[in-house]
Amino acid sequence: MSERTYLAPTPNPETEPFWTAAAQGKFLIKRCRECKDVHYYPRALCPFCLGETDWEESRGEGVVYSFTITRRSPTGPYSLGYVTLAEGPRIYTNFVDCDLEKLHIGAKVKVVFKATDGAGPPLPLFTLA
């Protein structure tokens, strides 16, 4: 087994604030100015009403909605799944730095930032809280 590495994201003008905040250990989501709903992934327009959006710092906490564990991998077992953030949006993520056998639907999780290859910003992933 080898250490798992993550490909560095490529920020663009629309996502630059998200990645700058991630480098500072902050997890941002977007809130619509019109309908007030929050969403993830970051988009300039609200996916619900097409209103303008503003950045907002998330608590970075949530619960596991669903997950799967891949046990056969050159880098060892890993888990992917969905987290429902405390603010409401549901996001697809990796679960890291935890005992995968303790993952379960409804488990409390929190965001952690993992370094990427190269000089890119860190990735927000989730671990058991």
Side-chain angles (χ1 to χ4, degrees):
M1 284 190 260
S2 61
E3 181 70 24
R4 188 171 179 89
T5 59
Y6 301 96
L7 187 63
T10 305
N12 62 44
E14 187 176 6
T15 63
E16 182 66 38
F18 178 83
W19 296 115
T20 298
Q24 299 168 352
K26 298 177 183 176
F27 183 66
L28 299 183
I29 55 178
K30 287 276 206 149
R31 181 176 298 275
C32 179
R33 292 179 192 166
E34 303 299 322
C35 71
K36 308 299 181 199
D37 278 343
V38 291
H39 62 272
Y40 184 89
Y41 61 91
R43 287 165 275 192
L45 298 176
C46 174
F48 307 110
C49 73
L50 300 180
E52 296 289 322
T53 60
D54 292 315
W55 292 104
E56 177 177 303
E57 186 173 350
S58 166
R59 292 173 22 202
E61 300 171 349
V63 296
V64 175
Y65 176 77
S66 70
F67 69 99
T68 185
I69 299 174
T70 300
R71 298 183 191 285
R72 291 185 176 203
S73 164
T75 58
Y78 66 92
S79 180
L80 302 170
Y82 285 93
V83 167
T84 304
L85 293 174
E87 294 85 358
R90 189 167 292 143
I91 70 171
Y92 191 62
T93 188
N94 283 259
F95 296 104
V96 297
D97 300 338
C98 63
D99 181 350
L100 299 180
E101 299 305 320
K102 292 184 178 178
L103 276 176
H104 60 89
I105 293 172
K108 291 182 180 180
V109 291
K110 63 182 179 183
V111 71
V112 293
F113 293 91
K114 299 297 277 186
T116 57
D117 59 354
L123 288 177
L125 305 174
F126 282 82
T127 190
L128 288 170

